[in-house]
Amino acid sequence: MKLSARNQLPGTVTSINKGEAIANVVLDVAGQRLVASITVEAVGELGLKEGSAVTAIVKASDVMIATDGG
């Protein structure tokens, strides 16, 4: 699949926590934990399960950083 987005992070699904409509899919991306919130329907359509190899694609207009001011 070709995609114009440049922020593509290959990873592995480590857990899926399903709610009524939204599922939090936890990924291991190069040793870092990343959580994606997607619909429960999308989890099924994508066939996601623990151990699935996936690519997280990040699209954001802003990234904010905060510190304690120290």
Side-chain angles (χ1 to χ4, degrees):
M1 166 177 52
K2 291 185 178 184
L3 191 63
S4 63
R6 297 292 175 244
N7 298 323
Q8 299 181 34
L9 307 169
T12 304
V13 175
T14 58
S15 68
I16 300 171
N17 305 306
K18 293 181 184 176
E20 288 294 317
I22 299 296
N24 289 326
V25 181
V26 182
L27 309 177
D28 178 333
V29 176
Q32 297 294 310
R33 182 176 179 262
L34 181 101
V35 181
S37 295
I38 65 175
T39 65
V40 171
E41 182 180 14
V43 170
E45 288 175 359
L46 293 170
L48 297 179
K49 59 184 178 183
E50 287 186 22
S52 293
V54 298
T55 300
I57 300 161
V58 180
K59 181 178 188 281
S61 58
D62 297 299
V63 175
M64 296 179 211
I65 298 174
T67 68
D68 289 335

